Amino acid sequence: MNIGLIPEKAYVALRFSYVGEDYEKELQVCHKTFNKIYVPSIKDRNNPIHGNKLEQAALIYKTDQGYYEFKELNIRVVTVGDKFLYEIQSDYIAERQNRRAAFRVPIGSPTNVKVIEESGKTRRVSGVLHDLSALGMAVILYNKLEVGNKLEVNFNVTDKASIKLVGDVVRIDELTSKKFLYGCKFDDRSETLGKALLRRQLEDRRRKLNS
């Protein structure tokens, strides 16, 4: 997909690093040409941040069928009337990615899991937090559960802070006769989790570039 095929008024996510911090900002496309789109600029202390200050920038466009990630962006600040906009140009052709796998980060950490049955009954079991995304998580357990149960785990977003994640079991994959992978969907999106996952993705990307 060419970046110019993103429709006007669509929302896109701009991912970038700025002064040592990782960000993801949702922006609305206000104009487009063949290989450029125009979105509101991001400001720091009421001044637009120049495009060359946005490091490792990527643009994500999501659809019902999947998502597209555009790289190799050329971003510059332009003015239209009294508004500052980003002109984002790219010759990169983005392939559609599976939406369920979007931004899924492998974890693989042993964890204590609280199982909440539909009756309200709870119990604790040992398991593995297999992977995470902003929309849900996959947990491996050695217990057979039912769709509709809830799973609750604690996830360390930093060395000193953790958040509680609660997801509804919507998919069950039987890995062996005594080992099951549970796909869980979150009811609400967490900004804290989203930033933590973005940070991990960028760290993994840096490691791959340096390897």
Side-chain angles (χ1 to χ4, degrees):
M1 180 181 185
N2 183 292
I3 197 170
L5 294 177
I6 299 175
E8 290 187 11
K9 298 186 178 180
Y11 284 91
V12 296
L14 184 62
R15 287 180 162 190
F16 59 92
S17 294
Y18 175 63
V19 293
E21 295 289 332
D22 301 323
Y23 298 90
E24 180 174 324
K25 299 288 186 181
E26 187 175 64
L27 305 168
Q28 188 174 28
V29 177
C30 50
H31 183 60
K32 67 167 189 168
T33 62
F34 169 70
N35 64 344
K36 299 176 184 177
I37 63 169
Y38 296 81
V39 298
S41 66
I42 297 166
K43 296 183 179 181
D44 183 5
R45 298 176 186 176
N46 215 32
N47 292 313
I49 303 172
H50 287 281
N52 58 7
K53 301 291 185 182
L54 306 181
E55 300 179 346
Q56 299 181 14
L59 187 85
I60 295 92
Y61 172 54
K62 300 177 184 178
T63 71
D64 292 337
Q65 292 76 36
Y67 73 95
Y68 300 84
E69 181 175 1
F70 297 90
K71 304 174 184 178
E72 302 172 11
L73 305 180
N74 180 17
I75 305 174
R76 71 186 189 99
V77 177
V78 298
T79 56
V80 177
D82 59 350
K83 296 181 179 179
F84 291 101
L85 302 177
Y86 281 146
E87 178 189 82
I88 304 179
Q89 184 269 336
S90 177
D91 294 323
Y92 187 88
I93 304 300
E95 298 291 334
R96 189 177 73 190
Q97 305 295 321
N98 185 290
R99 189 173 177 85
R100 190 178 72 81
F103 319 128
R104 192 165 288 273
V105 177
I107 306 295
S109 300
T111 187
N112 207 345
V113 182
K114 182 178 180 180
V115 179
I116 307 169
E117 298 179 3
E118 290 187 279
S119 64
K121 183 180 177 181
T122 65
R123 56 191 166 113
R124 291 194 174 273
V125 298
S126 296
V128 174
L129 181 57
H130 185 264
D131 61 51
L132 265 177
S133 77
L135 302 177
M137 61 183 175
V139 180
I140 295 175
L141 298 178
Y142 299 90
N143 309 76
K144 185 64 183 291
L145 305 177
E146 301 294 331
V147 170
N149 288 172
K150 292 180 182 288
L151 300 184
E152 177 184 307
V153 303
N154 287 318
F155 175 64
N156 294 325
V157 292
T158 67
D159 293 337
K160 299 180 180 179
S162 65
I163 58 174
K164 182 193 298 182
L165 304 175
V166 181
D168 295 304
V169 175
V170 295
R171 189 185 80 258
I172 302 173
D173 294 333
E174 186 172 342
L175 305 179
T176 69
S177 61
K178 297 182 179 180
K179 187 177 180 181
F180 305 89
L181 185 144
Y182 296 94
C184 303
K185 179 182 178 182
F186 299 141
D187 289 333
D188 301 305
R189 297 191 68 163
S190 165
E191 183 177 349
T192 302
L193 175 61
K195 288 182 178 179
L197 296 178
L198 174 60
R199 189 161 52 245
R200 286 205 179 201
Q201 285 182 309
L202 292 175
E203 288 171 355
D204 289 344
R205 190 178 299 173
R206 291 189 190 107
R207 280 195 292 269
K208 290 177 182 178
L209 289 174
N210 295 328
S211 62

